Amino acid sequence: MRLTRIETFTTPNVGFVRVTDATGAVGWGQVSAYHSDITMTVLHRQIAPWVLGVEFEDQDDLFDRAAEKEHKFPGSYICRAIGGVDTALWDLRGKVEGVPVTTLLGGSPGPLRAYASSMKRDITPEAEAERFKRLRDEKGFDAFKFRIGAECGRGLDEWEGRTEAIIPAIANAFKDESVTLLADANSCYAPPAAIHYGRMLEDHGITHYEEPCPYWEMEQTAEVAAALDIDVTGGEQDCWLPTWKRMFELRAVDIAQPDILYAGGIGRTLRIARLADAHGLTITPHSANLSLVTLFSMHLLRAIPNAGKYLEFSIEEADYYPWQYGLFVNDPHPVEDGHVHVSDAPGWGVEIDPEWLAKSEYAVSEDEA
Ligand SMILES: [Mg+2]
């Protein structure tokens, strides 16, 4: 197999990738949301030159070689750029074989439980509880994630008393119901406070405690995980495979949460998933917006043996994240009875809106041979 062209269509918030191979087959992928225009510059400058025109059979090896050629630049942007090309290649392969990507990965089309994921801290505990109940009634969600502390908050709350109020407010809203509740601290606490709030979550029946400590301080997270019964979870920012290995060896998390587009695509995320499986851990991917990262996570979760209980599904709408609307011809993941559905359409089974593409910034790299 040989790629001859990589085209990108981007705005500062989101960007799509179209690859073409030597037979003329095409596939669509996406780079991670936010600063996507910067990722596209990295893609054309530092990834495209190492993958265009190269004969390959092993896609992972192709990208490993590109990363090795750019070994002076390890980290997020290289992985984000690889993720755009990797996900486009999976689409191309699915379309050539006439099967959805999940089938290529060993899975099958079908339903997937989703949890309603709040991105808001600027919401009162009462309003958040109301919103969750409305979503339960309207879309059938039976799992909900809310935010505690402040993002990288150095122990401070979004406003004083919010965390002490929102934990019981959400728990009491579903007191007599069978729902699953999750909380995310986004790297807020040092271990003593993290353990304090973790016990509060346990006392209120919350079962998932995400990123209690600064994520880069893995020993701190491990200390919290060892002290608590609740599942301590994390890993969304981590793209470097040795970092994942260290996380698992330290038993820092009970559930691993790679983000397919931060981690560098499906191939790299599969490696994280296999490593997690070897440590007896499940995967609940980070998919915090309604661009293609959520659809990619759906295909992955329908395929891996150590899939977690549900898909992260952002409940934020156009007023909060206007950029994530108008991207696709059809909604790739309507929610019904709390579930989304992986279709049997080839590849990712999604069509990018031509009007959105026409308004985006276009760039192309081609094999000059
Ligand atoms: Mg999170």
Side-chain angles (χ1 to χ4, degrees):
M1 182 170 192
R2 180 163 54 88
L3 290 179
T4 56
R5 190 181 307 135
I6 303 176
E7 296 162 283
T8 60
F9 306 77
T10 196
T11 67
N13 283 323
V14 65
F16 299 103
V17 178
R18 179 165 62 192
V19 297
T20 305
D21 75 5
T23 72
V26 302
W28 284 91
Q30 190 204 296
V31 299
S32 194
Y34 304 118
H35 299 307
S36 303
D37 50 339
I38 298 176
T39 303
M40 292 312 193
T41 299
V42 173
L43 192 162
H44 288 289
R45 292 268 291 274
Q46 295 186 281
I47 301 302
W50 306 118
V51 302
L52 282 171
V54 178
E55 275 298 340
F56 68 95
E57 281 175 34
D58 182 340
Q59 182 172 332
D60 291 344
D61 187 58
L62 177 77
F63 294 124
D64 282 353
R65 283 171 189 271
E68 286 161 29
K69 291 288 189 189
E70 296 297 326
H71 67 282
K72 300 289 186 189
F73 299 86
S76 183
Y77 275 107
I78 289 287
C79 293
R80 287 166 186 247
I82 288 173
V85 184
D86 169 277
T87 52
L89 260 172
W90 282 102
D91 187 54
L92 183 153
R93 290 169 57 185
K95 283 172 174 157
V96 167
E97 294 190 30
V99 297
V101 173
T102 195
T103 301
L104 294 177
L105 300 176
S108 61
L112 193 66
R113 183 186 179 200
Y115 79 79
S117 187
S118 166
M119 301 299 145
K120 288 185 177 174
R121 284 187 163 81
D122 56 349
I123 186 169
T124 65
E126 299 73 28
E128 192 72 296
E130 277 308 306
R131 181 159 81 137
F132 286 174
K133 286 199 277 187
R134 179 169 51 76
L135 285 163
R136 174 202 56 196
D137 295 342
E138 287 175 2
K139 297 194 169 170
F141 285 112
D142 66 354
F144 305 88
K145 187 169 88 186
F146 59 98
R147 307 264 160 182
I148 62 172
E151 192 161 356
C152 288
R154 300 189 172 198
L156 295 179
D157 209 343
E158 192 72 14
W159 61 79
E160 208 184 319
R162 182 180 181 276
T163 296
E164 284 79 0
I166 197 168
I167 295 172
I170 302 295
N172 291 335
F174 295 104
K175 206 167 53 242
D176 304 314
E177 295 173 45
S178 155
V179 299
T180 309
L181 297 177
L182 308 79
D184 191 344
N186 289 101
S187 291
C188 187
Y189 305 118
I195 293 166
H196 167 78
Y197 287 111
R199 296 228 163 95
M200 195 180 292
L201 293 169
E202 288 174 347
D203 289 345
H204 288 84
I206 286 91
T207 56
H208 166 122
Y209 186 14
E210 190 164 322
E211 224 177 280
C213 301
Y215 72 86
W216 56 93
E217 299 287 0
M218 233 167 258
E219 287 78 5
Q220 293 187 10
T221 309
E223 181 186 338
V224 172
L228 297 173
D229 294 326
I230 190 171
D231 282 336
V232 168
T233 75
E236 64 190 59
Q237 283 88 201
D238 291 299
C239 59
W240 209 240
L241 295 169
T243 305
W244 283 98
K245 189 160 177 278
R246 194 170 145 248
M247 193 188 312
F248 296 148
E249 284 169 359
L250 283 169
R251 307 296 301 179
V253 296
D254 300 301
I255 294 170
Q257 298 188 278
D259 179 307
I260 291 170
L261 292 182
Y262 295 164
I266 291 292
R268 290 174 65 86
T269 306
L270 280 175
R271 279 190 259 179
I272 295 165
R274 284 194 284 267
L275 197 57
D277 200 26
H279 286 81
L281 303 179
T282 58
I283 301 284
T284 297
H286 175 252
S287 50
N289 63 71
L290 300 180
S291 70
L292 288 180
V293 68
T294 295
L295 184 66
F296 298 160
S297 300
M298 288 161 56
H299 283 253
L300 182 86
L301 284 172
R302 290 279 315 173
I304 57 175
N306 56 330
K309 286 181 272 194
Y310 28 45
L311 168 82
E312 175 170 27
F313 194 90
S314 170
I315 57 173
E316 305 308 342
E317 296 182 350
D319 59 328
Y320 208 66
Y321 288 147
W323 63 266
Q324 67 180 14
Y325 287 82
L327 301 175
F328 312 117
V329 173
N330 295 112
D331 179 0
H333 27 50
V335 179
E336 230 177 284
D337 292 329
H339 288 68
V340 292
H341 195 94
V342 177
S343 83
D344 59 6
W348 297 119
V350 69
E351 193 182 338
I352 319 293
D353 191 325
E355 281 181 40
W356 187 95
L357 292 172
K359 283 187 270 182
S360 68
E361 187 183 322
Y362 176 79
V364 58
S365 292
E366 285 181 281
D367 176 24
E368 280 154 26

